[in-house]
Amino acid sequence: MAEQFDVVVSGAGPGGYVAAIRAAQLGFSTACIDDWTSAEGKAAPGGTCTNVGCIPSKALLQSSENFEHAGHAFAEHGIELKDLAIDVKRMLARKDKVVRQNNEGIAYLFKKNKIRFFHGVGRFTGGAAGAWQIEVSGEGAAALSAKNVIIATGSKPRALPAAPFDNKLVLDNEGALAIPAVPKRLGVVGAGVIGLEMGSVWRRLGSQVTILEVLPVFLGAADEQVAAEARKQFTKQGLKIELGVNITRVETGKEVTVEYVDAEGKQESARFDKLIVSIGRVPHTAGLGAEAVGLELDERGFVAVDADCRTNLPGMWAIGDVVRGPMLAHKAEDEGVAVAERIAGQHGHVDFNTVPWVIYTSPEIAWVGQTEAQLKASGVAFRAGSFPFSANGRARALGDVRGFVKILADARTDRILGMHAIGPMVSELIAEGAVAMEFGAGSEDIARICHAHPSLSEAVKEAALAVDKRTLNI
Ligand code: FAD
Ligand code: NAI
């Protein structure tokens, strides 16, 4: 006899585990299935984000930034260090510990919210509206029946056709987060979010990093001015970024040789000790049993959903990386909450226009809403205000005055349409832009709000003042 649940969530990444918590909070009997297994052979809930994504990458970014600061920034503060060295093994062990703490935190949350967790692969075997049948295979083998199903099976790295991942020389995100010793020459294919973050980590630790990007423009999704400043800063740090590159061959032996045609059409060849391939991710539906129930996938292999995350089947929903939209943990989480609330007859809502983007390089990059180029393309008249961190007292005290904050506001109504920033801790500052946009605030609202002094957030207030051409500190 199958165990019956109101809600069964397939996948315990940020989309799935948060959806399960919200469903349980709303009074539904809830189960969550996840197949991720740690190196020690234990269940490791948290998905890509916790195990090989957001969390471990930020742990390594912090360690490597500490190392870089100790080597380059401390002397200015009068702090002398001798014989500075990096112990990569210890750095990776710390990262693994941070991951484990997050896995354990999610297991605790399942218990706290009385969510049944099944460790294994969940596969649809049949059923119909109100009683979908799911078989779990693996450690937590079971047969489940669900009134509602939330598919949150995430994504997998996309490989270069010429270079399958071996995680020895050709690395996906998992391999990139576990390189056992600093490679002398590191190649990165793709100047996207992973390429820039992981390239930064290993450059700070001493690798010569070359990033090969197919597109002729750098960070095309970001505001042009932000992208230009980022390119300038990364180049100054020693990241070699080649745009408009077409990779023709990848050969592995003792090292990796990449043959490519550069932007001028010249055939080039580069040799690396390791090659990270970060050219985007593909939806993960293998083993789900979509065909057994007639679950529709779109032409790119994503589970097909409407704006509310409904699939083609009644009572079956899908969220996060396995469906259209940005592949971001917070987008997955918000969709999970919204779907649980919709199942309860409420009106959960996710506005893609206010989903913030952050790239955790140094300087950090963050934005929310529309770019200048998008506004121009859609013919919206706007006013822009910028403020550089070089004129912010807290940034000077921190010793990091790179970058700026820019606010774009509707020329007629003053409503904020976008915030774009590059600089210290802009990953935190961007929340103010998102809040302002959600509340329909104008730039004047931010300009009139009292911001603590000295704080980096004053750059946001000054950017808002700049929209009306009345900055106070520049
Ligand atoms: P996932 O996190 O992929 O989780 C899906 C889970 O379902 C996995 O555990 C998978 O094994 C499991 N599963 C799949 N099929 C089955 C099945 N049939 N049965 C049982 N279990 C199954 N996003 C950010 O917002 N901020 C960041 O800083 C950030 N950094 C990143 C860094 C890297 C290196 C990478 C690779 C990604 C990063 N992301 C970041 C993206 C983020 O990780 C994803 O957007 C997020 O994990 C998507 O969540 P999800 O719940 O949809 O899927
Ligand atoms: P991405 O989409 O950010 O970047 C991929 C890059 O590779 C693009 O610039 C693309 O033009 C390029 N590319 C594609 N094919 C290529 C080829 N054949 N040769 C050379 N370049 C090629 O994808 P990435 O970096 O793999 O990350 C995957 C997802 O994970 C992202 O969509 C992002 O949402 C998420 N992520 C988010 C982070 C964050 O929020 N801080 C951190 C890391 C990942």
Side-chain angles (χ1 to χ4, degrees):
M1 236 325 246
E3 279 190 71
Q4 318 259 329
F5 290 95
D6 294 326
V7 177
V8 171
V9 185
S10 191
Y17 90 77
V18 167
I21 291 173
R22 187 71 189 114
Q25 283 175 345
L26 289 162
F28 294 118
S29 62
T30 305
C32 186
I33 312 165
D34 189 272
D35 61 355
W36 207 289
T37 305
S38 70
E40 296 79 38
K42 291 198 183 139
T48 302
C49 169
T50 301
N51 292 295
V52 293
C54 324
I55 301 300
S57 60
K58 268 79 252 178
L60 293 188
L61 278 156
Q62 190 60 50
S63 298
S64 59
E65 195 163 358
N66 289 349
F67 180 65
E68 182 152 86
H69 278 175
H72 295 100
F74 279 16
E76 190 197 345
H77 294 263
I79 303 168
E80 299 283 350
L81 283 172
K82 289 208 176 69
D83 304 325
L84 187 68
I86 181 80
D87 180 342
V88 174
K89 206 168 149 202
R90 241 159 71 196
M91 183 185 74
L92 295 180
R94 173 187 178 273
K95 174 224 29 164
D96 293 340
K97 189 172 157 202
V98 173
V99 168
R100 221 164 32 245
Q101 286 167 338
N102 279 273
N103 296 140
E104 286 163 6
I106 295 165
Y108 158 78
L109 291 171
F110 282 156
K111 281 209 184 81
K112 179 185 164 206
N113 288 284
K114 301 190 174 47
I115 295 162
R116 286 283 305 282
F117 177 63
F118 294 89
H119 183 212
V121 177
R123 187 172 61 87
F124 294 121
T125 51
W132 295 110
Q133 304 301 314
I134 302 154
E135 182 188 271
V136 183
S137 56
E139 189 193 12
L144 314 181
S145 172
K147 282 191 194 145
N148 299 279
V149 175
I150 304 176
I151 301 164
T153 49
S155 64
K156 294 181 309 182
R158 187 156 80 83
L160 268 177
F165 296 117
D166 60 14
N167 273 343
K168 291 191 175 71
L169 287 170
V170 181
L171 315 177
D172 61 13
N173 53 301
E174 192 165 351
L177 289 159
I179 305 178
V182 180
K184 196 160 175 298
R185 301 157 306 169
L186 176 67
V188 178
V189 185
V193 200
I194 295 181
L196 292 172
E197 290 188 358
M198 296 317 299
S200 295
V201 165
W202 295 104
R203 181 205 55 76
R204 291 169 192 166
L205 301 177
S207 296
Q208 293 160 20
V209 179
T210 304
I211 305 185
L212 303 172
E213 164 64 44
V214 70
L215 293 180
V217 286
F218 180 64
L219 274 184
D223 174 84
E224 260 177 55
Q225 212 184 335
V226 168
E229 176 68 14
R231 181 138 193 229
K232 189 177 98 191
Q233 295 294 343
F234 298 155
T235 305
K236 202 162 132 198
Q237 290 163 6
L239 275 184
K240 193 172 161 210
I241 301 167
E242 286 205 43
L243 302 178
V245 159
N246 183 13
I247 294 174
T248 48
R249 211 159 85 96
V250 178
E251 205 178 280
T252 53
K254 277 208 174 100
E255 55 186 14
V256 194
T257 307
V258 180
E259 289 178 8
Y260 61 95
V261 180
D262 74 7
E264 273 81 52
K266 234 172 67 212
Q267 183 72 47
E268 294 282 356
S269 174
R271 290 184 298 149
F272 302 111
D273 300 302
K274 303 272 180 196
L275 184 72
I276 296 173
V277 176
S278 46
I279 56 168
R281 298 178 62 83
V282 291
H284 181 43
T285 54
L288 185 62
E291 58 298 333
V293 285
L295 177 70
E296 200 185 306
L297 306 183
D298 70 16
E299 63 287 351
R300 293 185 302 153
F302 289 91
V303 175
V305 287
D306 67 9
D308 286 344
C309 294
R310 279 188 188 82
T311 70
N312 64 315
L313 301 171
M316 211 179 280
W317 310 73
I319 60 168
D321 279 13
V322 79
V323 303
R324 84 284 172 269
M327 286 186 168
L328 295 172
H330 40 289
K331 175 263 194 183
E333 289 178 29
D334 286 6
E335 282 183 336
V337 168
V339 162
E341 291 177 351
R342 282 174 202 136
I343 292 172
Q346 299 179 2
H347 302 279
H349 179 66
V350 183
D351 180 357
F352 282 4
N353 191 42
T354 50
V355 172
W357 281 83
V358 177
I359 308 179
Y360 295 83
T361 43
S362 177
E364 291 183 343
I365 297 166
W367 72 87
V368 61
Q370 307 276 300
T371 62
E372 287 199 36
Q374 286 167 333
L375 293 174
K376 281 179 194 151
S378 47
V380 178
F382 65 92
R383 294 194 297 167
S386 292
F387 189 80
F389 283 106
S390 57
N392 174 277
R394 184 74 197 278
R396 280 199 213 109
L398 276 175
D400 190 355
V401 294
R402 298 168 297 171
F404 58 88
V405 177
K406 174 155 86 177
I407 288 181
L408 307 176
D410 189 293
R412 198 173 51 83
T413 65
D414 192 40
R415 192 179 173 130
I416 295 172
L417 302 173
M419 172 172 155
H420 304 271
I422 176 165
M425 300 305 281
V426 296
S427 57
E428 301 294 334
L429 301 186
I430 201 65
E432 184 169 4
V435 170
M437 286 179 67
E438 283 288 353
F439 279 82
S443 70
E444 187 185 348
D445 293 312
I446 292 199
R448 289 191 182 278
I449 290 170
C450 188
H451 288 66
H453 176 77
S455 72
L456 297 171
S457 70
E458 287 173 293
V460 180
K461 174 178 173 158
E462 290 277 2
L465 283 165
V467 171
D468 200 32
K469 298 195 175 23
R470 53 187 187 95
T471 50
L472 295 166
N473 282 286
I474 200 163

